[in-house]
Amino acid sequence: MIEEPSDRLIEQRIRNRIYEILEILAECDEGVDLVSINGYFNLFEDFVHRPSIESGMSALSRDERAIVLEIAHFLEVACETTPDFTKAEFIASGWPEQIAPKARDARALFLIRGLFSEELEEAEPGQSITARAAR
């Protein structure tokens, strides 16, 4: 029987996926080329606008949440100001160049704590919840 992951484990995995998307956004124009224009906007959107993140109840720290929501705002403005754009037009608009530094900052912030386990619940990366409770 396959065991369903806990809510905590799902939140840890989502944080890890957001980190991976930040790596794409940090690559500037190459990130757009890697995932296409739809992927560039939708990958991040798929993970960020979740009730747990918006309410501050996710595995993201307060600072991580703030910078992730700031990047989400950048992406929303970029999408609104360049409607019906092609990949080449979006790259030429300079938005990837504006978003990339903030994504690099976010990526560095995430790495201060590190990435969470994909299999075990952790209070913080590298600190299992069961080990912490045993102290």
Side-chain angles (χ1 to χ4, degrees):
M1 184 171 147
I2 297 174
E3 188 176 324
E4 292 294 318
S6 67
D7 290 344
R8 175 64 188 189
L9 195 54
I10 290 169
E11 292 300 327
Q12 289 175 196
R13 291 174 180 174
I14 288 170
R15 182 182 177 276
N16 290 351
R17 298 298 79 76
I18 290 172
Y19 174 81
E20 292 167 356
I21 296 163
L22 290 171
E23 288 196 317
I24 293 168
L25 298 178
E27 290 298 317
C28 200
D29 300 347
E30 292 81 15
V32 181
D33 286 335
L34 181 66
V35 294
S36 82
I37 194 68
N38 288 332
Y40 188 85
F41 288 101
N42 295 334
L43 283 173
F44 201 71
E45 185 74 18
D46 287 346
F47 289 103
V48 171
H49 291 294
R50 297 178 48 81
S52 61
I53 291 174
E54 292 178 345
S55 69
M57 301 303 290
S58 72
L60 296 172
S61 71
R62 186 173 23 137
D63 291 341
E64 290 167 349
R65 177 180 176 271
I67 201 166
V68 161
L69 292 176
E70 187 177 343
I71 292 168
H73 177 73
F74 267 138
L75 289 168
E76 289 168 8
V77 172
C79 195
E80 291 170 5
T81 60
T82 51
D84 300 321
F85 47 82
T86 65
K87 182 173 74 170
E89 290 169 335
F90 179 64
I91 289 171
S93 74
W95 274 108
E97 288 177 19
Q98 293 178 54
I99 294 167
K102 188 57 78 173
R104 287 184 203 111
D105 291 346
R107 187 177 59 184
L109 182 63
F110 272 52
L111 288 179
I112 291 170
R113 291 173 65 205
L115 298 178
F116 280 96
S117 169
E118 297 275 331
E119 303 301 323
L120 302 171
E121 289 185 6
E122 297 179 313
E124 287 293 323
Q127 295 180 342
S128 75
I129 289 177
T130 54
R132 193 176 108 187
R135 289 185 200 167

